[in-house]
Amino acid sequence: MESVKNRLDKNNIPKHVAVIMDGNGRWAEKHGKARVFGHENGVESVRSVVEGAGEIGVKYLTLYAFSTENWDRPKNEVDALMELLVKAIEMETESLNKNNVRLSTIGDINSMPTSVKENLENCINTLNSNTGLNLVIALSYSSKWEIVNAVKGIVKDAIENKIKPELINNELFENYLSTAKIPDPELLIRTSGEYRISNFLLWQIAYSELYFTEKLWPDYRKEDFFEAILDYQNRERRFGKTSEQLISQ
Ligand code: FPP
């Protein structure tokens, strides 16, 4: 049986794939362990998917690692997640570099602990001249936060006469989002059998294809990611047009 990777159409690889990594807690529970055990095992899935995305030529991979709402989890879980992030970033920098991966973040990075910020900065600087996959980690991110933040920036610039309110349009608005200069994701994947968007990239997924899988994040590997890409490739993206219009274009 030919591998899923070989069945992919190389000319139709999405430029940007976004992933809601969900199910770490339930995975840990299934194994009779504390929730943190699930997060720890989720790092292996991150490694595999980053590798897989690079292999097939995805240009941007955005991972939802910590949401604004996640701050409300029990303190011990939040602390453990922060520690895990620091460790994972430190441990993975070398192999990310070997794989030509660049790193950036979206979200309210200033709200993260200093140790996370410093680690991230080091890693981002080390990987700065790489030209392969752009790995985007969403940290202390929520779409409503991002949109309100964009509005604040626009109002400020309008008051300072840097922009004219009548010239505000989609393109200008996008420049104020934390994803400015990143193309919208063609595909959004969510693991763990939950059918929600959970405040993730609400503006950017206006026309994204959505893919849900029952697999819990710590069980997710690049082969599962390739399955999602294959499914995406079998869909017709109409952007509000009719099939006939697409064929005649
Ligand atoms: C959701 O599962 C997962 C998270 C909130 C954290 C994801 C973080 C990692 C995988 C750590 C490493 C990340 C990077 C980028 C190095 P959940 O806890 O909501 O699971 P549940 O729905 O089963 O409770």
Side-chain angles (χ1 to χ4, degrees):
M1 174 70 181
E2 203 186 353
S3 75
V4 178
K5 186 179 165 187
N6 288 336
R7 283 162 59 206
L8 293 177
D9 174 357
K10 305 283 177 294
N11 298 314
N12 186 20
I13 300 292
K15 271 200 192 68
H16 184 179
V17 182
V19 185
I20 302 176
M21 312 181 284
D22 195 16
N24 293 353
R26 275 163 285 163
W27 187 89
E29 205 174 298
K30 245 176 58 180
H31 290 79
K33 297 273 172 62
R35 297 178 54 82
V36 178
F37 184 68
H39 299 315
E40 284 164 1
N41 280 274
V43 177
E44 186 54 43
S45 311
V46 170
R47 192 178 295 132
S48 179
V49 169
V50 168
E51 231 176 68
E55 282 170 24
I56 60 170
V58 168
K59 285 310 289 177
Y60 296 88
L61 177 72
T62 301
L63 303 178
Y64 204 3
F66 194 85
S67 72
T68 310
E69 290 77 17
N70 286 155
W71 288 115
D72 295 330
R73 290 196 174 189
K75 186 175 179 319
N76 72 326
E77 185 176 345
V78 172
D79 290 349
L81 261 171
M82 293 301 146
E83 207 176 298
L84 185 64
L85 280 166
V86 172
K87 265 207 315 218
I89 297 161
E90 248 175 10
M91 299 249 305
E92 300 300 326
T93 304
E94 200 183 316
S95 90
L96 290 172
N97 205 11
K98 273 197 196 124
N99 285 303
N100 199 16
V101 175
R102 265 185 112 222
L103 181 71
S104 60
T105 58
I106 55 171
D108 186 10
I109 300 305
N110 282 331
S111 67
M112 302 301 282
T114 313
S115 53
V116 178
K117 278 192 283 193
E118 283 178 359
N119 252 294
L120 272 171
E121 220 175 278
N122 285 338
C123 186
I124 289 170
N125 289 339
T126 308
L127 308 180
N128 194 28
S129 52
N130 288 342
T131 54
L133 173 73
N134 289 279
L135 174 61
V136 183
I137 305 189
L139 285 171
S140 194
Y141 174 89
S142 75
S143 209
K144 289 190 177 181
W145 167 83
E146 177 185 42
I147 290 170
V148 168
N149 216 35
V151 172
K152 282 185 192 164
I154 291 173
V155 171
K156 184 171 173 286
D157 284 353
I159 290 170
E160 292 170 6
N161 284 323
K162 291 185 188 144
I163 52 169
K164 290 199 170 81
E166 60 273 24
L167 295 183
I168 297 171
N169 58 16
N170 287 354
E171 281 74 37
L172 183 134
F173 190 82
E174 282 165 3
N175 286 333
Y176 287 82
L177 293 172
S178 50
T179 49
K181 300 193 186 76
I182 301 178
D184 288 342
E186 292 94 329
L187 174 65
L188 171 71
I189 299 171
R190 181 173 190 145
T191 61
S192 92
E194 302 287 0
Y195 297 81
R196 287 192 287 276
I197 302 301
S198 299
N199 217 345
F200 191 43
L201 302 176
L202 297 179
W203 173 282
Q204 297 87 341
I205 59 165
Y207 277 100
S208 302
E209 296 296 325
L210 308 181
Y211 180 91
F212 299 96
T213 167
E214 294 295 314
K215 274 220 173 158
L216 304 176
W217 180 252
D219 287 329
Y220 202 77
R221 290 293 178 271
K222 60 172 131 176
E223 290 74 22
D224 302 299
F225 183 77
F226 298 149
E227 284 280 357
I229 307 286
L230 189 64
D231 189 276
Y232 160 84
Q233 292 187 336
N234 288 320
R235 299 185 191 187
E236 180 186 61
R237 305 190 72 211
R238 290 204 293 273
F239 302 97
K241 296 185 178 163
T242 66
S243 288
E244 290 71 24
Q245 282 176 304
L246 291 180
I247 291 162
S248 66
Q249 267 174 9

